[in-house]
Amino acid sequence: MPDRPLTIAGYAAGASLAAITLVYVFGPTFFLDDEYAHAAAAAGRKKGVVVGLSNPANDCFINSVLQALAGLSDLRFYLIREVHRRKLDGPETYRVDADEPPLRRSNGKEVPPWKIEGLRQGIVTVALKDMLDRLNERPLYKKIISAQPFVSVLERAFRQRISRQQQDAQEFLQVVTERLCDEYHEGRKARERIRRLRRAGYSLDLPSIDVGEDGGSEVMPMPPLPQSGGGQDGEPQRDDGEGEEEEEGFPFEGKTESQIECTLCHFTPKALSETFTTLPLTVPQKSSTSLNECFDVMLKTEYIDDFKCEKCRLVHAVEVKERELRLARSETQKEKLDVEISKIYDAIETDPEKPPKDVELPDIKLAPKRRIARHHRISVFPKILAVHLSRSIYSTYSTKNMAKVSFPEALPLGGLLDQKKYRLLGVVTHKGGHNSGHYESFRRQVPLAPFSTPHSFGNQGVYSTSVSPNPSTQPQQQQQQQHPPPLPSDLAARVTVPRGIMPSSPASSASSVSSRSSARQQRLGPAPTSAPRDDASAPAAANGASSSSSSSARVSLAPPAGPRPGSRASARAPSVVDVARLKKKAAAAARKAGNRWWRISDEKVQQSKTSEVLGMQKEVYLLFYELDKRAMGEDE
């Protein structure tokens, strides 16, 4: 009896030690797994969500822009195409030759050769593609990467550091998109230069490296470009030659057009066109507004007073010349004034912006002042519309406009005849004041097109070879020959086998299968194929099938009238109600999939809904709209 309490105490001490050991060993792993399980359940996935970005030095403005760009399928299409195109063309197409004339910008400054070479090679394009590919991974577990590789390439492209003091997401987006646009245009000019050299008769298939007399290697200079007329602003003029493919431009690039009109003479000079990659919209200073009102502020008609109209100035010059003509006394002076008046009239009728050079006009200070109306419009709509909501208020102290801006999920732009419909795919928000705060991004959970094949390719598809317009039914015959259907007992007694043909011979079974296959082909129509089917081949195939079935009817077993129970032919055809129900289910599934968003704050990723995204009216800063392929009749 005295030993029993000691035994119980020993068991209790051992159990306590075992419990402490379990907690010490498995406690941290359990809590980590439990924390991750809760995060994964909140994200709506069993394991993992999307890749996050680390924030070592106030890089939230960089991370939010990169996450928003990762959800744009048209941008990823463009990056894949440009990188692949440069690999196919080779480095010799985009190199800078020593005898090549220097490139000058509109302000007259010469662009250094190292920058031209970087633009032609597309170093930022390649780096952004690699970055977005990594962000579009679907890891099994939580994964965080750094944006420093892309930032390093961007700093090397401009040879300067990116300041972390301003921390403006719009400025970073502007730098990236303008650089990508410049790289596209420089690459296009280089390809156009090679095409013009080939059309001029130069052989560009020779190797660019030749061995000199001393045994070393030297680079052979590319022959100079033949002199030809150029386009506007120094752009090379494109020839409409055969065999040239029209390139798809940079998806962020659009154009706005500004047109002025005199309210008195209604003269409209040449419109001024301006290229943009991000569209800035000023937010009105009120408690709440909408995105449509912000567009109205930019696109509304603006009236300007005290403007010197070119046509009104010429009309005033005619009046002055006619008054001088009435006062003139010598014939020589009268003839001179008559000639000048006729030249001014010709300029008024043809182009008032080009007055005659040999006619002395009155001083522009004496020209009448008119009121003009200035109209703005978007002349070229980009594939991806990046909208910047400018919330800065500049006065004695710079402050932030905290107005609520409601924005739609579907954005129609343009006129009634050429209306464009955009779909919201990304949002960048900012919380805080004008000098401090934090950026977050929202990405729509859409299946990106580079990772899906929504339709089969035909003869013109990618990596496809020429196929026959009519598919072969030989695999179906072999499958039916290996598993022949059993013969009903009531037909076995009535079967008569012709003389000289064995029932189990391969010829009879093959012909029987061929007749059934051809008859089934006639009832169900031609089998689906990825290649475009020739219309003329359909009747021939039907006639061939009927002739083969009639010739083999004497040696094959005649099938019973009507389909067998349980066969595919006996299945009930879908009715109109069934088709409507299926369409309704598909539409509901599409709406449910389109309602899912990712809310990303650096390395923290959560699941969100469209209602939550549209509710960020006070924090919205950047909007990313993409042309709705569903409205254009295309598959996503």
Side-chain angles (χ1 to χ4, degrees), residues 201-502:
Y202 292 100
S203 178
L204 302 179
D205 298 332
L206 297 177
S208 59
I209 304 298
D210 194 8
V211 180
E213 297 179 357
D214 56 350
S217 60
E218 57 182 6
V219 180
M220 297 176 57
M222 186 174 289
L225 183 66
Q227 297 294 330
S228 61
Q232 298 178 356
D233 301 331
E235 295 284 343
Q237 187 176 0
R238 295 183 62 88
D239 300 331
D240 297 333
E242 295 182 0
E244 292 188 7
E245 182 181 358
E246 187 68 21
E247 296 183 2
E248 294 185 7
F250 183 56
F252 278 89
E253 187 177 10
K255 288 185 179 181
T256 57
E257 195 174 83
S258 177
Q259 180 74 61
I260 63 175
E261 179 184 3
C262 180
T263 57
L264 182 65
C265 64
H266 301 286
F267 171 67
T268 56
K270 184 179 179 181
L272 299 178
S273 181
E274 184 179 359
T275 303
F276 70 90
T277 55
T278 59
L279 189 63
L281 299 179
T282 303
V283 178
Q285 298 184 21
K286 55 173 68 175
S287 59
S288 62
T289 182
S290 64
L291 186 62
N292 293 332
E293 293 184 10
C294 297
F295 272 104
D296 292 339
V297 172
M298 185 192 74
L299 302 177
K300 71 177 182 180
T301 303
E302 182 182 3
Y303 293 95
I304 303 175
D305 295 326
D306 300 335
F307 187 84
K308 301 296 181 67
C309 176
E310 298 293 339
K311 186 176 181 180
C312 292
R313 183 191 177 190
L314 294 180
V315 173
H316 175 260
V318 170
E319 295 176 355
V320 173
K321 296 294 182 180
E322 289 179 349
R323 186 163 53 250
E324 293 178 357
L325 180 62
R326 289 192 298 267
L327 299 176
R329 295 181 179 181
S330 63
E331 295 295 333
T332 304
Q333 188 178 5
K334 289 182 180 180
E335 291 179 0
K336 181 181 178 181
L337 291 174
D338 286 335
V339 173
E340 291 180 351
I341 290 173
S342 62
K343 290 182 178 181
I344 295 176
Y345 271 121
D346 292 339
I348 293 175
E349 294 295 334
T350 56
D351 190 1
E353 293 184 284
K354 296 180 179 179
K357 297 180 180 180
D358 54 349
V359 176
E360 184 179 358
L361 300 178
D363 191 0
I364 193 173
K365 296 180 180 179
L366 302 177
K369 297 180 180 180
R370 306 299 186 203
R371 188 184 189 191
I372 63 170
R374 185 165 63 180
H375 311 277
H376 297 272
R377 72 182 187 95
I378 302 176
S379 57
V380 178
F381 290 91
K383 286 187 175 180
I384 301 175
L385 180 63
V387 179
H388 166 226
L389 298 178
S390 179
R391 293 179 173 272
S392 299
I393 302 176
Y394 297 101
S395 57
T396 306
Y397 299 98
S398 299
T399 58
K400 179 182 177 181
N401 189 354
M402 304 299 292
K404 293 183 178 180
V405 181
S406 61
F407 52 96
E409 184 180 5
L411 178 65
L413 291 177
L416 296 177
L417 299 179
D418 57 346
Q419 190 178 59
K420 307 294 183 181
K421 294 183 178 180
Y422 287 88
R423 186 188 183 197
L424 184 64
L425 291 186
V427 178
V428 174
T429 61
H430 179 262
K431 291 184 178 181
H434 187 270
N435 299 321
S436 63
H438 181 68
Y439 288 98
E440 292 183 351
S441 61
F442 291 84
R443 283 174 52 183
R444 186 186 292 272
Q445 299 182 27
V446 292
L448 296 180
F451 297 111
S452 63
T453 52
H455 57 81
S456 59
F457 296 101
N459 288 336
Q460 305 298 330
V462 180
Y463 306 121
S464 64
T465 58
S466 179
V467 297
S468 59
N470 293 325
S472 175
T473 57
Q474 185 65 25
Q476 298 179 3
Q477 294 180 6
Q478 294 179 358
Q479 184 178 4
Q480 293 180 4
Q481 184 176 355
Q482 294 176 2
H483 303 282
L487 187 65
S489 57
D490 56 346
L491 295 178
R494 294 181 294 176
V495 171
T496 56
V497 181
R499 185 178 302 174
I501 299 179
M502 297 299 295

Side-chain angles (χ1 to χ4, degrees), residues 127-180:
L128 183 60
K129 177 188 176 298
D130 296 339
M131 190 71 215
L132 299 190
D133 288 344
R134 296 178 63 189
L135 288 177
N136 278 281
E137 294 179 3
R138 291 298 180 264
L140 296 179
Y141 298 96
K142 184 177 181 180
K143 183 177 181 180
I144 300 173
I145 62 176
S146 175
Q148 189 58 37
F150 174 73
V151 175
S152 300
V153 174
L154 193 63
E155 291 176 344
R156 187 170 69 251
F158 291 97
R159 291 192 176 182
Q160 61 182 1
R161 300 279 297 178
I162 296 179
S163 175
R164 263 56 171 195
Q165 300 299 325
Q166 291 182 339
Q167 302 179 1
D168 192 354
Q170 186 272 335
E171 292 183 1
F172 179 76
L173 175 64
Q174 187 78 14
V175 169
V176 173
T177 53
E178 287 184 355
R179 174 71 187 197
L180 293 176

